[in-house]
């Protein structure tokens, strides 16, 4: 691995070298798929709220059930029941923390939309980027280069244009039931999201993806089930149940499960910061959907904002390593503490070493 990393990083690279790699374009493509998934979940949540069904904890539990059904059998097949039990006893508490952060991020973000308007809720999403950058810097010892900081600021500027356009056109969701309460819930949800994104990046860089998603599903079902039983009983009783509501729940669950399955790839090839700024384009896709579904009229600032966000991602990777953010500083010398999984720098280094005949028999 060390020999492969040395060869990769010793290449004569230019400021644009990483932009010419397949990894960069894969990050752009996966980021937009994730944004579309987020747009789909927001759209189905809007449909549910319009139908009189607001159950923020209950509507997410099906996602964790589906993750468990998909990834738990896979993990048991790969590790065996005994090894899985030993793993659960050793690392279960870590996965419990990850699941708690993730569940609460989902819960408080959905809950915020009940009390505040869309413009305010989207503005608060910026806080998750601040949390990711701060935690990555102080805890994971990530050191951001000037181009990376400039890229993040450029993406935030693009999101600012989107919000300004919403304000100018009045597409901010209208009056809110309780702005202060909604904003506090949104801020809390963004904080949980930021922490869970960094923690998940740490996990998927060290462990197989199917294992992380299996534990995330199992603990997510338990935590979400308890939370729904405590806080969603009144909302569940008052909810409207129709075939259309069932369809909205199914669409929400499917979009969220696809989202959860692709996030580890983005976190391995990029980072939690790249993941968060990529999701800023979700508002653009939301308007495109809104034109067809809700009759929105697109403002001229939207295409400009979308280009700015994509340009910010390009600037983020300027003059950087040929490995981009896939090489994690907290994995030690030669990425020794990392897993050689798809999208990781460790696997890229092994493949490079094989191509150059540097591996043993």
């Amino acid at each position: 691995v060390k020999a492969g990393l040395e060869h990769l990083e010793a290449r004569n690279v230019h400021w644009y070298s990483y932009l010419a790699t397949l990894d960069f374009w894969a990050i752009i493509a996966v980021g937009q798929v994730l944004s579309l998934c987020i747009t789909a979940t927001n759209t189905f949540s809007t449909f549910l709220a319009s139908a009189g069904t607001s159950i923020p904890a209950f509507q997410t539990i099906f996602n964790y059930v589906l993750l468990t059904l998909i990834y738990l059998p896979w993990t048991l097949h790969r590790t065996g029941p005994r090894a899985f039990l030993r793993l659960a006893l050793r690392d279960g508490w870590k996965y419990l923390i990850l699941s708690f952060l993730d569940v609460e991020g989902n819960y408080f973000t959905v809950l915020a939309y009940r009390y505040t308007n869309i413009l305010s809720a989207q503005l608060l999403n910026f806080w998750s980027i601040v949390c990711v950058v701060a935690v990555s810097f102080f805890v994971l010892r990530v050191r951001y280069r000037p181009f990376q900081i400039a890229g993040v600021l450029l993406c935030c500027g693009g999101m600012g244009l989107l919000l300004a356009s919403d304000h100018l056109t009045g597409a901010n969701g209208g009056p809110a039931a309780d702005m202060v309460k909604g904003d506090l819930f949104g801020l809390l949800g963004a904080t949980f999201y930021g922490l869970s994104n960094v923690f998940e990046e740490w996990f998927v860089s060290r462990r197989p993806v199917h294992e992380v998603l299996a534990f995330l599903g199992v603990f997510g079902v338990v935590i979400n089930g308890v939370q729904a039983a405590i806080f969603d009983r009144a909302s569940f009783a008052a909810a409207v149940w129709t075939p259309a509501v069932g369809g909205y729940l199914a669409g929400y669950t499917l979009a969220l499960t696809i989202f959860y399955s692709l996030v580890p790839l983005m976190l391995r090839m990029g980072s939690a910061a790249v993941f968060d700024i990529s999701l800023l384009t979700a508002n653009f896709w939301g308007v495109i959907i809104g034109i067809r579904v809700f009759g929105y009229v697109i403002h001229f600032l939207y295409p400009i904002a979308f280009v700015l966000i994509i340009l910010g991602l390009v600037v983020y990777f300027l003059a950087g390593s040929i490995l981009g953010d896939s090489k994690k500083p907290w994995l030690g010398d030669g990425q020794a503490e990392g897993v050689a999984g798809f999208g990781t720098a460790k696997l890229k280094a092994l493949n490079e070493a094989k191509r150059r005949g540097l591996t043993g028999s």
Side-chain angles (χ1 to χ4, degrees):
V1 174
K2 289 181 181 179
L5 288 173
E6 288 174 1
H7 278 280
L8 286 171
E9 296 183 313
R11 290 179 180 176
N12 185 21
V13 296
H14 305 282
W15 60 270
Y16 57 83
S17 293
Y18 186 72
L19 307 184
T21 64
L22 182 62
D23 279 16
F24 171 74
W25 294 105
I27 286 173
I28 294 292
V30 173
Q32 295 318 296
V33 173
L34 291 174
S35 290
L36 286 169
C37 289
I38 287 294
T39 301
T41 60
N42 290 340
T43 302
F44 286 120
S45 292
T46 302
F47 284 147
L48 285 168
S50 300
T53 304
S54 179
I55 40 177
F58 183 77
Q59 78 179 54
T60 310
I61 195 171
F62 298 109
N63 167 60
Y64 294 110
V65 170
L66 197 52
L67 287 176
T68 302
L69 293 175
I70 295 172
Y71 294 105
L72 182 58
W74 186 1
T75 304
L76 288 171
H77 172 71
R78 295 293 298 270
T79 62
R82 290 185 179 179
F84 179 80
L85 182 59
R86 288 195 297 269
L87 181 65
L89 293 174
R90 187 189 69 202
D91 294 332
W93 65 274
K94 299 176 185 177
Y95 285 114
L96 180 63
I97 294 173
L98 172 64
S99 298
F100 176 79
L101 293 173
D102 188 74
V103 168
E104 300 312 315
N106 285 328
Y107 177 77
F108 285 110
T109 300
V110 174
L111 191 62
Y113 280 89
R114 183 190 295 178
Y115 296 101
T116 190
N117 57 39
I118 295 174
L119 182 68
S120 182
Q122 289 174 341
L123 186 62
L124 291 170
N125 287 337
F126 279 116
W127 181 246
S128 67
I129 299 177
V130 175
C131 291
V132 164
V133 172
V135 174
S136 297
F137 182 86
F138 289 108
V139 178
L140 299 183
R141 304 190 303 278
V142 175
R143 295 297 176 258
Y144 294 97
R145 298 182 296 274
F147 274 113
Q148 291 178 306
I149 297 173
V152 171
L153 293 176
L154 192 58
C155 288
C156 290
M159 185 63 180
L161 280 182
L162 290 175
L163 295 172
S165 177
D166 284 347
H167 182 68
L168 290 172
T169 59
N172 60 0
D178 191 331
M179 285 287 290
V180 175
K181 182 186 290 187
D183 288 349
L184 288 175
F185 284 146
L187 193 64
L188 192 57
T191 302
F192 279 121
Y193 267 143
L195 293 173
S196 68
N197 290 343
V198 176
F199 201 13
E200 187 174 353
E201 181 188 358
W202 183 87
F203 259 121
V204 298
S205 299
R206 291 170 171 262
R207 305 297 306 168
V209 169
H210 58 81
E211 177 190 304
V212 177
L213 293 179
F215 277 109
L216 187 61
V218 171
F219 286 121
V221 169
V222 175
I223 297 170
N224 219 321
V226 172
Q227 193 155 315
I230 296 174
F231 297 109
D232 274 3
R233 284 184 298 177
S235 300
F236 189 86
V240 177
W241 298 103
T242 63
V245 168
Y248 299 152
L249 282 173
Y252 176 88
T253 301
L254 182 61
L256 202 57
T257 301
I258 294 172
F259 177 84
Y260 272 73
S261 299
L262 290 177
V263 165
L265 178 61
M266 173 67 86
L267 295 177
R268 280 182 171 183
M269 299 179 69
S271 62
V274 173
F275 166 63
D276 271 40
I277 61 180
S278 294
L279 293 185
L280 295 178
T281 57
N283 194 44
F284 174 83
W285 296 117
V287 169
I288 299 300
I289 298 297
I291 291 172
R292 303 294 300 177
V293 179
F294 302 110
Y296 292 170
V297 177
I298 193 168
H299 194 267
F300 76 93
L301 288 177
Y302 269 87
I304 299 173
F306 182 80
V307 172
L308 274 178
I309 293 172
I310 297 298
L311 186 60
L313 282 170
V314 172
V315 171
Y316 183 92
F317 288 110
L318 289 181
S321 165
I322 196 67
L323 294 168
D325 277 10
S326 63
K327 185 180 179 183
K328 316 293 184 183
W330 65 88
L331 294 179
D333 187 28
Q335 304 291 281
E337 298 177 29
V339 63
F342 186 77
T344 62
K346 191 170 187 176
L347 183 60
K348 296 172 191 174
L350 283 171
N351 290 334
E352 178 70 11
K354 290 176 183 177
R355 281 194 296 268
R356 293 181 174 271
L358 302 175
T359 57
S361 58

